[in-house]
Amino acid sequence: MAGTDASDRRPLSRRIADDLRAQIARGDFTPGAPLPSERELIELYKTTKATASKVIGMLVAEGLVYTEFGRGTFVRSRPPLRRISAARRHAAHRDAGKPVFDVQAIEQGQVPTREILFVGRGAVPSHSATWLRVATGTEVVIRRRLQLLDGDPAVLSTSYYPLWIADGTLLESPDAIPEGPDELIEKLGHRFSHGIEVFRAEMPSQEEAQLLRLRPGIPVVHMWDVDYDEQDRPLQVAHDIYAGDRHEFSYEWNEEDIRR
Amino acid sequence: MAGTDASDRRPLSRRIADDLRAQIARGDFTPGAPLPSERELIELYKTTKATASKVIGMLVAEGLVYTEFGRGTFVRSRPPLRRISAARRHAAHRDAGKPVFDVQAIEQGQVPTREILFVGRGAVPSHSATWLRVATGTEVVIRRRLQLLDGDPAVLSTSYYPLWIADGTLLESPDAIPEGPDELIEKLGHRFSHGIEVFRAEMPSQEEAQLLRLRPGIPVVHMWDVDYDEQDRPLQVAHDIYAGDRHEFSYEWNEEDIRR
DNA sequence: AAGTGGTCTAGACCACATA
DNA sequence: ATGTGGTCTAGACCACTTT
């Protein structure tokens, strides 16, 4: 117990949190190891339950530790992240006749599954509407599904298809599309000419946290993937929400890219 | 006040938080608008300070609201995000003789500044060491600086240069490098041939949150940019930490990329 | 001075996990 | 049965902002 002497201007909870954080950084608690219980913290730092509980809450919010009800508080371990490479969509699936997600999963020795959450017509939300170049709320075909790896939720994926493409096609059918929506769109006579992928980090909404089974303190990565045809018409907007503690994203470049 | 009737299995704090969240989603509180004060919440929901305070803490951790000491709690507004396009480094700076950060900032009408935090030799941390293909702790030249836009912290940037490149060069000098490190490296006779950019989302450490002046509930995006020469030797590893509420990242592709 | 968020104590009870 | 985290009440004080 260090750094908690006296006349310190930091609040007690902050001092305790800093102390524990330093101990974790020093390796006193290795990943997976239990922190002192709240009752022990009360003893150690001469405080009360509310404060001890708050301290743990701070570390949880930082993503440094997690709690298990009835068991204890543990240092979070950082499992290896699944690498997602961008602008990957078409290159990858062209080889396989399978959805990109499945191809990448199988490459990495994991079993992909999916739960269809919604298929049907609906109003396109604001951000995706901008990418589709339609007004917010325009009716489109929506496919929403949760994609899992070895049974663990990995990506919450929502795709928006304009009616001029999806109307009356299998895209409106609630069944899974074996070859994936991209291949289906090509079969319908459209052609992916160019696209853009846009990312940002956020904290999950309640619903996202629940569906992706995210522990507190874990951010998500939102990705919008927009595909256009030769006439620069948006064919689809895919909005994927990745569990932040299980994914990273990579992009490669070489001299050809620079000097074009 | 809805959804707080009775015999609800959710904890009171959760019910109140859900209630407020729904009201925000409905637009009862618009971005920038104040939430009921904690004392008002105590009245409204017949509870106590600790619980009201916890409710606010939950919403803050979600990044939905923020508090200002002595003023109140307000709905967070989402300012437009600065777009960062990847594999951008060399293409962009080649035109300008300026660091990429400055070029992109000026393009968007903002004033770039930087605070040098550290320049000198040091031990390369584990993740960057992997990318540099050296052992963790190997001595390298490190340049660490905080980059700001219109005075607001935007990126915390740490670059690692192997000694065979940086030894005895301006890269070791604590002054800013007017043309940017990339151009300097090229002047030293090296050539950027290819590279990779890797991203992931995290919650900030205490230090990162402080330097970037991040509000609670805002994640950061870590980006590693690794550049190689023609012989596939890593010339540098740049580790940038972006404030998550002020940036998004984009990548474009077209048919040429697919069919190579 | 009045209102706001931030912190803390003291103590109680509930829900879950484990031996 | 015991130990763990989760929640809550009641009340006090502090620090900051605004009028």
Side-chain angles (χ1 to χ4, degrees), chain B residues 11-13 47 51 54 69 71:
Chain B
L12 177 57
S13 55
T47 180
T51 302
K54 177 171 190 171
F69 204 177
R71 298 211 334 115

Side-chain angles (χ1 to χ4, degrees), chain A residues 11-13 47-48 50-51 54 69 71:
Chain A
L12 177 56
S13 55
T47 181
T48 58
T51 302
K54 177 169 191 172
F69 204 178
R71 298 211 333 117

Side-chain angles (χ1 to χ4, degrees), chain B residues 18-53:
Chain B
D18 287 353
D19 198 13
L20 292 174
R21 199 183 295 107
Q23 290 183 51
I24 292 169
R26 265 211 316 273
D28 296 0
F29 304 102
T30 52
L35 247 54
S37 76
E38 295 191 355
R39 271 98 179 158
E40 284 170 339
L41 291 178
I42 293 170
E43 277 285 312
L44 276 168
Y45 295 95
K46 307 296 173 208
T47 180
T48 57
K49 187 104 203 298
T51 302
S53 183

Side-chain angles (χ1 to χ4, degrees), chain A:
Chain A
M1 166 172 170
T4 53
D5 298 340
S7 71
D8 196 325
R9 299 195 53 79
R10 293 172 300 172
L12 177 56
S13 55
R14 171 75 193 280
R15 288 203 301 269
I16 302 176
D18 288 352
D19 197 14
L20 292 174
R21 200 183 295 110
Q23 290 183 51
I24 292 168
R26 265 210 316 274
D28 295 2
F29 303 102
T30 53
L35 247 54
S37 76
E38 295 190 356
R39 272 98 178 156
E40 284 170 338
L41 291 178
I42 293 170
E43 277 285 313
L44 277 167
Y45 295 95
K46 306 296 172 209
T47 181
T48 58
K49 186 106 203 298
T51 302
S53 183
K54 177 169 191 172
V55 168
I56 299 301
M58 294 165 68
L59 299 179
V60 166
E62 290 170 30
L64 207 61
V65 306
Y66 61 91
T67 57
E68 289 193 10
F69 204 178
R71 298 211 333 117
T73 301
F74 306 90
V75 178
R76 197 182 128 204
S77 58
R78 314 274 170 157
L81 301 179
R82 190 166 73 107
R83 176 76 58 84
I84 307 291
S85 45
R88 72 210 181 288
R89 173 172 291 268
H90 308 286
H93 96 258
R94 212 164 279 281
D95 301 335
K98 280 187 190 157
V100 184
F101 181 80
D102 295 28
V103 174
Q104 291 210 340
I106 292 166
E107 273 173 10
Q108 312 192 15
Q110 289 178 296
V111 179
T113 51
R114 46 177 50 70
E115 293 172 15
I116 306 279
L117 301 178
F118 175 82
V119 173
R121 298 194 174 195
V124 62
S126 140
H127 196 265
S128 296
T130 305
W131 285 112
L132 265 190
R133 298 193 197 130
V134 298
T136 300
T138 299
E139 186 179 46
V140 296
V141 168
I142 301 176
R143 295 184 71 88
R144 189 154 191 258
R145 62 271 189 203
L146 182 67
Q147 302 183 298
L148 307 95
L149 292 174
D150 292 346
D152 292 325
V155 193
L156 179 60
S157 196
T158 310
S159 296
Y160 304 92
Y161 307 95
L163 291 185
W164 70 271
I165 291 191
D167 184 40
T169 71
L170 274 180
L171 289 169
E172 294 203 75
S173 130
D175 303 318
I177 300 172
E179 72 269 35
D182 293 359
E183 189 112 350
L184 175 57
I185 289 174
E186 292 191 328
K187 277 194 195 152
L188 291 171
H190 305 287
R191 181 163 167 198
F192 294 104
S193 160
H194 57 285
I196 184 170
E197 293 180 351
V198 179
F199 288 77
R200 74 167 76 147
E202 298 263 3
M203 289 311 284
S205 71
Q206 286 284 118
E207 190 201 14
E208 291 158 10
Q210 190 214 317
L211 284 168
L212 290 171
R213 280 189 230 134
L214 289 171
R215 292 198 161 117
I218 308 294
V220 291
V221 174
H222 288 251
M223 172 178 143
W224 286 266
D225 184 327
V226 192
D227 296 322
Y228 303 89
D229 68 5
E230 308 93 313
Q231 287 125 67
D232 203 37
R233 293 178 296 192
L235 296 175
Q236 63 171 325
V237 173
H239 177 194
D240 295 339
I241 303 176
Y242 289 85
D245 60 344
R246 313 203 263 278
H247 296 93
E248 66 182 10
F249 302 84
S250 74
Y251 297 81
E252 296 184 52
W253 61 268
N254 60 38
E255 275 183 310
E256 295 170 41
D257 299 312
I258 299 179
R259 315 205 191 271
R260 270 195 296 197

